[in-house]
């Protein structure tokens, strides 16, 4: 066995015998004193199981890896499978239980589930949702007479995530909302000038109350626990907790160049600077670059 | 013949190891790479008339490729869209595949075109369906992940999500709810499948992808 390490000052790569662990030596290249590290005890079984990634990638505690199924139970049992590429949310409803979903999200369901489309929450909330980039219509799925399942899938390739609201609130980017359980209030929230400059809509969707919320993304979803300051390109935000403050600004080091149109509608170089304590979810793909990439290949319409 | 489905579910592809005497029938265009020892013969998909019918109504190609070898070699097959590939083994039973789902099969499998009916057509599931029967392995693909359900009495599937089903399954169309709901829920007509039997579904649909992309284009 050998120990491999880098010199702390000049990054020269060394390979030494095990017996030298903990000893001090002089770097042959830059002359700095280096302490030969003691290798961590390796579990031979764990090493055999994961030969390609001996160290697990960092991820927030309690979050499953990007391809594991997520199982859980809030007010109802649920499972998110086919992650992260083609996430499918399956909910199991007991008689009388309801979930509320965006139009077209249902993929399949048991016949004991009744579907009712409607304007939920009155005129003000409905308009708020519409301004937040969601449909005016909310579909209500109710289990009647017997327990049953409903599966939900987004149109775009990507992941889905579950969030349990406990009196707090979560802001969702346009189109990120998928479904919620009872006890959750969904409305649009005017963002003022921040929304205007973010290029992603003037109004963010705000989910609050006590209950289960599911949201989806284009690409995989990465949760980030913000403890101080964190910067996210506006197009990559999926959701964030309302305990975070945010400010939209031009990417540091980038002047607000380009035409007015790119600044206002293309959101080039605009970032969201989060501060405070809370979690933000980001997606690993962005719809506008994808469409810009696809668009030249689409057949031109002659009209 | 050894077979392995790799890179599930996003970019699933099928790797086959053919030995002398093994034969495999695959959708035209499905071959991505193969050993030099493997020979391809292209032929009409079940005779000229049937091939044309399958092309026009079954969403399949006019030709199929037959792969064989005198020694041994490997063959990699893919499908046009991102998504999953599933394998089933037929032992004298039958499976119906939605148009476009077929990828490959062993020579003991018979490919036929079945009338799916006007109900299926109105439900936008196609007027015809591909019927695979006989004995041997069949590989089929989908856009999205593939998931299955054992249907007892009845189950509801949004149109565009059904991939394959057993012949004991009855297909009916229904409205997603009342008149208002069916118009505004975005679900419109749904497929009601009656059991008993197994169905295969995909977790994404082409319609959903198009609607998502179009909603962001201005």
């Amino acid at each position: 066995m050998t120990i491999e390490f880098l010199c702390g000052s000049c990054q020269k790569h060394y390979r030494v015998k095990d017996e030298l662990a903990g000893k001090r030596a002089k770097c042959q290249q830059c002359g700095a004193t280096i302490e030969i590290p003691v290798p961590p005890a390796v579990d031979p079984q764990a090493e055999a199981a994961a030969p390609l990634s001996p160290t697990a990638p960092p991820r927030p505690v309690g979050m499953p890896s990007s391809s594991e199924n997520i199982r859980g139970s809030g007010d109802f049992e649920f499972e998110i499978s086919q992650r992260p590429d083609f996430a499918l949310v399956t909910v199991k409803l007991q008689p009388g239980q309801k979930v509320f979903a965006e139009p077209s999200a249902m993929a399949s369901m048991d016949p004991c589930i009744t579907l009712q489309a409607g304007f939920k929450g009155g005129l003000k909330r409905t308009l708020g949702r519409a301004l937040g980039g969601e449909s005016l219509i909310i579909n209500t799925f109710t289990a009647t007479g017997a327990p049953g399942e409903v599966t939900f899938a987004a149109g775009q390739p990507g992941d889905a995530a579950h969030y349990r609201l406990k009196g707090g609130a979560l802001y969702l980017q346009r189109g990120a909302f998928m479904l919620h359980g009872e006890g959750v209030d969904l409305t649009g929230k005017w963002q003022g000038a921040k929304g205007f400059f973010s290029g992603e809509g003037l109004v963010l969707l705000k989910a609050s109350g006590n209950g289960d919320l599911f949201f989806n993304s284009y690409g995989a979803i990465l949760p980030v626990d913000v403890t101080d300051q964190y910067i996210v390109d506006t197009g990559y935000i999926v959701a964030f907790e309302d305990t975070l403050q945010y400010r939209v600004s031009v990417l540091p080091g980038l002047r607000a160049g380009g035409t007015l149109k790119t600044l206002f509608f293309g959101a080039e170089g605009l970032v969201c600077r989060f501060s405070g304590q809370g979690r933000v979810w980001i997606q690993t793909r962005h719809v506008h670059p994808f469409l810009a990439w696809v668009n030249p290949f689409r057949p031109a319409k002659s009209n | 013949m050894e077979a392995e489905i790799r890179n599930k579910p996003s970019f699933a592809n099928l790797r086959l190891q053919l030995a002398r005497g093994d034969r495999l029938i695959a959708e035209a265009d499905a071959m991505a790479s193969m050993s030099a020892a493997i020979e391809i013969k292209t032929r009409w998909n079940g005779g000229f008339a049937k091939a044309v019918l399958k092309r026009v109504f079954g969403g399949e190609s006019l030709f199929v490729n037959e792969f064989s070898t005198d020694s041994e070699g490997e063959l990699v097959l893919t499908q046009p869209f991102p998504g999953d590939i599933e394998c089933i083994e037929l032992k004298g039973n039958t499976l119906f595949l939605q148009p476009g789902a077929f990828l490959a099969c062993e020579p003991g499998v018979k490919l036929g075109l079945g009338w799916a009916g006007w109900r299926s057509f109105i439900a936008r599931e196609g007027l015809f369906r591909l019927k695979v029967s006989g004995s041997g392995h069949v590989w089929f693909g989908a856009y999205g992940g593939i998931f299955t359900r054992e249907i007892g009495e009845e189950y509801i599937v949004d149109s565009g999500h059904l991939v394959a089903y057993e012949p004991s399954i009855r297909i009916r169309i229904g409205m997603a709810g009342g008149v208002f709901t069916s118009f505004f829920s975005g679900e419109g007509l749904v497929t009601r499948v009656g059991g008993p039997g197994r169905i295969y579904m995909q977790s994404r649909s082409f319609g959903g992808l198009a609607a998502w992309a179009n909603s962001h284009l201005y």
Side-chain angles (χ1 to χ4, degrees):
Chain A
M1 285 292 285
T2 54
I3 306 170
E4 289 190 39
F5 62 96
L6 300 176
C7 166
S9 57
C10 71
Q11 305 296 312
K12 184 173 163 57
H13 185 250
Y14 283 102
R15 255 182 143 162
V16 298
K17 286 198 185 113
D18 258 358
E19 299 88 290
L20 296 171
K23 297 234 164 71
R24 278 164 182 267
K26 216 173 210 181
C27 175
Q28 292 168 356
Q29 190 167 290
C30 68
T33 312
I34 30 180
E35 193 174 314
I36 298 165
V38 181
V42 181
D43 180 1
Q45 259 186 332
E47 198 174 37
L52 289 176
S53 55
T55 50
R59 73 174 98 114
V61 180
M63 288 304 296
S65 82
S66 68
S67 60
E68 274 171 42
N69 286 2
I70 300 174
R71 276 194 194 84
S73 54
D75 294 331
F76 43 81
E77 265 180 69
F78 66 85
E79 184 182 19
I80 308 175
S81 53
Q82 320 269 5
R83 300 179 60 235
D85 329 56
F86 304 114
L88 182 78
V89 177
T90 307
V91 301
K92 293 204 162 68
L93 301 180
Q94 293 306 312
Q97 275 190 326
K98 292 177 199 285
V99 288
F100 308 90
E102 64 164 344
S104 302
M106 187 269 287
S108 69
M109 63 184 191
D110 277 319
C112 64
I113 308 279
T114 52
L115 164 60
Q116 184 74 49
F119 305 100
K120 190 173 166 276
L123 187 66
K124 196 178 157 215
R125 293 224 167 83
T126 301
L127 283 176
R129 276 201 309 272
L131 290 170
E134 289 295 334
S135 164
L136 291 168
I137 302 281
I138 286 279
N139 287 343
T140 306
F141 296 84
T142 315
T144 43
E149 68 158 28
V150 194
T151 67
F152 294 97
Q156 73 275 22
D159 206 352
H162 167 257
Y163 184 79
R164 176 80 190 174
L165 283 162
K166 294 167 190 156
L170 196 76
Y171 285 103
L172 295 168
Q173 186 62 273
R174 290 179 92 78
F177 169 66
M178 204 173 182
L179 69 139
H180 67 75
E182 287 165 283
V184 175
D185 193 31
L186 192 69
T187 186
K189 181 89 175 151
W190 173 251
Q191 294 303 300
K194 282 193 286 198
F196 186 63
F197 287 108
S198 76
E200 300 291 336
L202 309 181
V203 175
L204 284 173
L205 269 185
K206 184 184 182 183
S208 56
N210 283 289
D212 298 293
L213 175 73
F214 294 84
F215 52 89
N216 56 27
S217 65
Y218 169 44
I221 296 179
L222 305 175
V224 177
D225 284 321
V226 178
T227 48
D228 183 19
Q229 291 233 336
Y230 199 70
I231 293 169
V232 186
D233 184 302
T234 52
Y236 290 88
I237 304 164
V238 180
F240 59 92
E241 289 174 333
D242 79 332
T243 51
L244 288 168
Q245 290 86 49
Y246 79 96
R247 203 156 54 79
V248 174
S249 62
V250 175
L251 191 64
L254 196 81
R255 296 281 299 275
T259 63
L260 224 65
K261 193 165 172 271
T262 29
L263 179 62
F264 279 21
F265 302 107
E268 285 308 321
L270 285 174
V271 294
C272 200
R273 189 185 286 271
F274 289 99
S275 56
Q277 298 265 338
R279 185 171 277 188
V280 51
W281 288 262
I282 62 176
Q283 58 186 6
T284 61
R285 289 292 184 278
H286 180 359
V287 58
H288 290 143
F290 168 69
L291 292 173
W293 173 67
V294 162
N295 214 26
F297 301 102
R298 297 169 82 228
K301 233 183 214 167
S302 54
N303 55 351
Chain B
M1 180 164 29
E2 282 171 44
E4 181 196 5
I5 301 169
R6 304 181 298 183
N7 307 100
K8 279 163 81 76
S10 26
F11 298 111
N13 58 88
L14 175 64
R15 182 183 171 277
L16 297 138
Q17 189 71 37
L18 299 190
R20 189 191 174 98
D22 284 340
R23 283 192 303 143
L24 186 89
I25 317 291
E27 177 81 350
D29 282 355
M31 194 272 287
S33 67
M34 62 182 198
S35 308
I38 295 198
E39 283 170 40
I40 308 188
K41 255 187 287 172
T42 302
R43 57 176 173 83
W44 293 102
N45 190 353
F48 175 75
K50 279 187 178 167
V52 170
L53 280 175
K54 278 179 199 160
R55 174 76 197 96
V56 175
F57 298 111
E60 302 297 329
S61 43
L62 274 175
F63 303 100
V64 288
N65 287 328
E66 192 180 304
F67 296 89
S68 59
T69 179
D70 285 335
S71 52
E72 58 169 8
E74 81 158 25
L75 172 65
V76 178
L77 302 178
T78 69
Q79 59 178 2
F81 28 83
D84 209 352
I85 293 173
E86 195 68 43
C87 173
I88 56 150
E89 190 180 0
L90 295 176
K91 291 168 183 163
N93 50 328
T94 302
L95 190 77
F96 289 117
L97 297 179
Q98 287 301 99
F102 173 73
L103 179 65
C105 65
E106 286 181 314
V109 174
K110 222 180 115 207
L111 296 173
L113 195 65
W115 170 257
W118 293 104
R119 286 173 180 171
S120 166
F121 180 68
I122 296 166
R124 279 178 287 164
E125 300 289 0
L127 201 52
F128 290 85
R129 55 197 174 184
L130 194 70
K131 183 181 172 185
V132 291
S133 54
S135 62
H137 288 93
V138 178
W139 291 270
F140 59 94
Y143 167 54
I146 296 178
F147 63 109
T148 75
R149 289 287 183 273
E150 293 289 344
I151 309 303
E153 280 181 16
E154 201 183 32
Y155 197 67
I156 295 164
V157 184
D158 195 18
S159 61
H161 284 279
L162 197 61
V163 176
Y165 49 97
E166 290 181 342
S168 57
I169 293 281
R170 287 165 293 114
I171 301 275
R172 291 194 300 125
I173 43 164
M175 300 222 285
V179 174
F180 179 84
T181 296
S182 299
F183 263 97
F184 293 102
S185 66
E187 310 295 351
L189 293 172
V190 293
T191 308
R192 283 174 178 271
V193 291
R198 172 183 284 230
I199 61 170
Y200 295 83
M201 289 172 282
Q202 57 186 8
S203 67
R204 288 293 181 276
S205 72
F206 293 119
L209 176 69
W212 167 72
N214 287 334
S215 75
H216 287 278
L217 287 168
Y218 42 81

